[in-house]
Each structure stands twice: as structure tokens, then as C-alpha cells.
Amino acid sequence: MKRFIVVGHKATTSGDFKLDDMAGGAGRLDILLRCINSALFLSHGIRRDTEIYLILQGEPDPPRTIRINGAEVRYLNPDERSTGALVRNALLKKLDGEEMRSSPGIYISRRSFVQVLDDLAPISRLVYLKEDGQDLRQHPLDGDLTFIISDHQDLQEEEEAELLARSPLTVTLGPLSYHADHCITITLNELDRRG
Amino acid sequence: MKRFIVVGHKATTSGDFKLDDMAGGAGRLDILLRCINSALFLSHGIRRDTEIYLILQGEPDPPRTIRINGAEVRYLNPDERSTGALVRNALLKKLDGEEMRSSPGIYISRRSFVQVLDDLAPISRLVYLKEDGQDLRQHPLDGDLTFIISDHQDLQEEEEAELLARSPLTVTLGPLSYHADHCITITLNELDRRG
């Protein structure tokens, strides 16, 4: 399994946002929507061996974690607007303690970044995508992998400390710094090449 | 210079479309908007050495070519909706024979795919991104490069014949088939690594 965790530091935790204003009033939710596209779309289908976790940390009721599983997801289209509508539906769910299904393959919970790390660390190798890491292409990688990426802001100091305490690989994608969704595309291409 | 030509076979040639319906009524314009993002955005800036040509071939008045130059462009944001608004502004221009500027760095003309190839072939190496090409990573590439990509449909037979008549390199990005915008991201990462 290939997994991506993307932290949205200001991304709204309410379904009360306008699909016309996802880059503004929804706390740069647009970034996370493009990450969904990059993680799950191939030219003629969905990556069924891939899963993405969006950690929403914006107002009014953080945190929320939206999990989208490629093997199960339905009604997903590549454009930002329709993907935003699916995420909004998830955010409109009344949550009790458990993760809830919003639509096929799309789940929402109150899990925090640290809780998601704790859930995945026992079953998956954590890989931190960061400018000063080792070159992804030079790094042997196999098995269940979870790549951690931040949105347009770096991970906060405490978030990075929590991640580093779990001994991730730290890997970089090239000499320049890329948007989160572009990082996902480049990472998956490298994994595709390894078969 | 790095250039990308993306052919939008059904993409609207009228500015009379709704920003809420770019994946539907505007002929999958959403694909081309994501290509603009991939071609021009770095994490903290714009790729000033990159240019993208969108060849719009949909109704009601094809063709239109929108050219966006990274060194000049302004008011460009990464999200689909605001980029769609800039493209719509360009399509609302009344065109005479010449290419016209719509906003800083964004130009529109009546050029066809073949005319754009003819304009670029004398100054740039044409590179056709296609599933059955040689591996990009194994291929020496330098100087001014123009990558040609199709939208969700393959190039039509006549289009491919016109391109092949100009002796492009034919290059592939990996074992799977990717969306056009993902192809651009992967290609630029490879070029970034070569410096």
C-alpha cells in the first residue's frame, strides 16, 4: 500500500464553505484537493493501491482527518470543484467517536496528525518528504509506505518533532521545492518505475 | 526555454462558460487548467523559464491558442477556478489576425496546432510525450525543448502525422499512463535534476 498524509494547517473543519472560494475562505483547501487528484488518478483509472489522509487543522473544530481509499472510492472526478463537494459532504457528517463513512471510499474522523502517525507507524514505513532529505531515486523503498507532506506551510516544530520521534526516512525529490500535489505525482512515478 | 503544448480537443473556444462547470460545459477545460499549474508553479514562485501553449479545439470557433509565459505572467494562482477566470478573460478578447495580450503573460491567437508547431520547430526541439517512446530518464535533452501532450484523448491521426513529420523525439515517462498535468510535473522534475 502507498499512503500519503497531507497536513492542511488552515484547512477548514466545517462543511460550511463555498465551492467558489476553496482557495480563500476554506483555508487553502484547494491544495488538499489537488493532492487527492495526484494520489489517486491514473490516465484511465484510479490507483487502487493508494490511500490519502488529509489532516485538516483549521477553524472551527480541528482536527478532522479525511481518508480516501483508492480501492473503494467512487464518484471521484479529477477537477477541484467536484472533489471539493465530496470533501464538503464528509465535513457535514455529525461525528461521534468513530471514523465514519461519508461516501464510498471516503471516511472522516476526529483523528489528529499524531493519532494518524500512531495508527500507521506499526503497519507502514514512514517517509518524510523534505527539501534536505536523501534523494528518493537513490533510496531503496518497498513494502507499505506512508509519505508525509505539508501544505504551503512547513510542518510546525511540534509536528516535525512528533514525526521525527517515529524515525521516518527523510527523502527529497530534487533540487527545487514543489507544491504538495506535485510531490505526490513525482513520488508515485518513481514507485511506478520500480514496479 | 521549456515549453509545453497541450491539445484540448473539445475545450471551449468561447468565453461564455461558467466557472462552476469547467469540467463539463467547457469541454474538459479543467484538464488544461491543471496543466497551467503544473507547468508554471514551484513551491515559492513561478517557473520563469517555462511557457505553455493550450490549443483549444472545441466549439464554437476553433482553433484558439492561449500562450502563457512564466517570465511575464501575473495574477496567476494555483487553483482551477481563478486560472479558469484568466483563461475566460483571454477567450473574451475580440481577435483580429494577430496574437493579442489578455493580461500580463497571457496571450491568445487563432493559431492551430500545426501553426504552433511550425512556429516552434525552428527554435526548439520537439518532444512527443507518448506511452511507447524511449525513457525520458535515459534520453539526453538540452537546449530549448517543446513537449507535446494531448488531453484525455490521444492526438488525432492527422495531428500525430503532422507532429511526426517534424521529427520529434518520442519519449515516455514510465510504465503507466498519466494525466497530462502529471506528465508535465514529472517531465519538469527530470529537467530540474539535470540543472
Side-chain angles (χ1 to χ4, degrees):
Chain A
M1 197 79 172
K2 300 158 195 166
R3 306 172 206 263
F4 293 89
I5 298 174
V6 188
V7 181
H9 289 98
K10 302 286 186 195
T12 184
T13 47
S14 160
D16 181 28
F17 64 85
K18 290 191 167 47
L19 296 178
D20 296 351
D21 189 31
M22 296 190 292
R28 298 306 311 275
L29 189 65
D30 64 309
I31 297 172
L32 305 186
L33 301 175
R34 288 192 293 279
C35 288
I36 296 172
N37 172 309
S38 292
L40 295 177
F41 278 100
L42 284 169
S43 186
H44 303 293
I46 298 282
R47 291 182 179 272
R48 303 183 67 80
D49 63 346
T50 304
E51 188 168 68
I52 182 166
Y53 293 71
L54 309 177
I55 318 286
L56 313 180
Q57 299 185 338
E59 294 300 323
D61 190 22
R64 289 288 189 283
T65 290
I66 293 177
R67 177 171 70 89
I68 307 182
N69 180 285
E72 301 170 25
V73 72
R74 294 188 62 184
Y75 315 125
L76 185 67
N77 287 304
D79 66 294
E80 285 173 24
R81 187 179 177 89
S82 67
T83 306
L86 293 176
V87 165
R88 189 171 63 174
N89 288 345
L91 285 170
L92 288 169
K93 284 278 169 195
K94 293 250 179 291
L95 283 174
D96 51 30
E98 297 298 305
E99 183 179 77
M100 289 181 68
R101 193 184 89 146
S102 167
S103 57
I106 302 187
Y107 301 86
I108 184 161
S109 68
R110 290 186 184 275
R111 281 187 288 179
S112 66
F113 176 59
V114 170
Q115 287 172 311
V116 171
L117 290 180
D118 280 340
D119 289 348
L120 291 177
I123 60 169
S124 188
R125 186 82 174 98
L126 302 183
V127 186
Y128 183 16
L129 289 181
K130 191 170 161 58
E131 282 86 346
D132 60 358
Q134 291 180 278
D135 186 357
L136 173 70
R137 291 197 190 172
Q138 305 305 325
H139 216 296
L141 285 175
D142 54 18
D144 197 296
L145 297 167
T146 296
F147 296 88
I148 295 97
I149 312 176
S150 196
D151 59 0
H152 59 304
Q153 307 176 349
D154 288 337
L155 286 186
Q156 292 168 354
E157 211 168 298
E158 322 84 85
E159 290 169 341
E160 187 172 64
E162 291 281 3
L163 174 55
L164 295 177
R166 288 160 180 81
S167 307
L169 299 174
T170 301
V171 159
T172 193
L173 301 176
L176 300 180
S177 180
Y178 301 112
H179 280 202
D181 58 317
H182 299 172
C183 290
I184 293 173
T185 299
I186 294 164
T187 299
L188 284 170
N189 176 246
E190 175 63 20
L191 299 180
D192 294 340
R193 285 172 165 271
R194 299 186 189 190
Chain B
M1 197 79 173
K2 300 157 195 166
R3 307 172 204 264
F4 294 89
I5 298 174
V6 188
V7 181
H9 289 97
K10 302 285 185 195
T12 184
T13 47
S14 160
D16 181 28
F17 64 85
K18 289 189 169 46
L19 296 178
D20 297 349
D21 189 32
M22 296 190 293
R28 297 308 311 275
L29 189 65
D30 63 309
I31 296 171
L32 305 186
L33 301 174
R34 287 192 293 279
C35 288
I36 296 172
N37 172 309
S38 293
L40 296 177
F41 278 99
L42 284 169
S43 186
H44 303 293
I46 297 282
R47 291 182 179 272
R48 303 183 67 82
D49 63 345
T50 303
E51 188 169 68
I52 182 166
Y53 294 73
L54 308 177
I55 317 286
L56 312 180
Q57 298 185 339
E59 295 300 323
D61 190 22
R64 290 286 189 284
T65 289
I66 293 177
R67 176 171 71 88
I68 307 183
N69 179 285
E72 301 169 26
V73 72
R74 294 187 64 182
Y75 316 125
L76 184 67
N77 287 303
D79 66 293
E80 285 173 25
R81 187 179 177 90
S82 67
T83 306
L86 292 176
V87 165
R88 189 171 65 175
N89 288 345
L91 285 169
L92 288 169
K93 285 278 168 195
K94 294 250 180 289
L95 283 174
D96 52 29
E98 297 299 306
E99 183 180 74
M100 289 180 69
R101 194 183 88 146
S102 167
S103 56
I106 302 187
Y107 300 86
I108 184 161
S109 69
R110 290 186 185 276
R111 283 187 287 179
S112 67
F113 176 59
V114 170
Q115 286 171 310
V116 170
L117 290 180
D118 280 340
D119 289 348
L120 291 178
I123 60 168
S124 190
R125 186 84 174 94
L126 302 182
V127 187
Y128 182 17
L129 289 180
K130 193 171 159 60
E131 282 86 347
D132 60 358
Q134 292 179 279
D135 185 357
L136 173 69
R137 290 197 191 173
Q138 306 305 325
H139 215 296
L141 285 175
D142 54 18
D144 195 296
L145 298 167
T146 297
F147 296 87
I148 295 96
I149 312 176
S150 197
D151 59 0
H152 59 304
Q153 306 176 349
D154 288 337
L155 285 186
Q156 291 168 354
E157 212 167 299
E158 322 86 82
E159 290 170 340
E160 187 171 63
E162 291 281 2
L163 174 55
L164 295 177
R166 288 159 181 83
S167 306
L169 299 173
T170 301
V171 159
T172 192
L173 301 176
L176 301 179
S177 181
Y178 301 112
H179 280 203
D181 58 319
H182 299 173
C183 290
I184 293 173
T185 298
I186 295 164
T187 299
L188 285 170
N189 175 247
E190 176 62 20
L191 297 180
D192 293 340
R193 286 172 164 271
R194 299 184 190 191

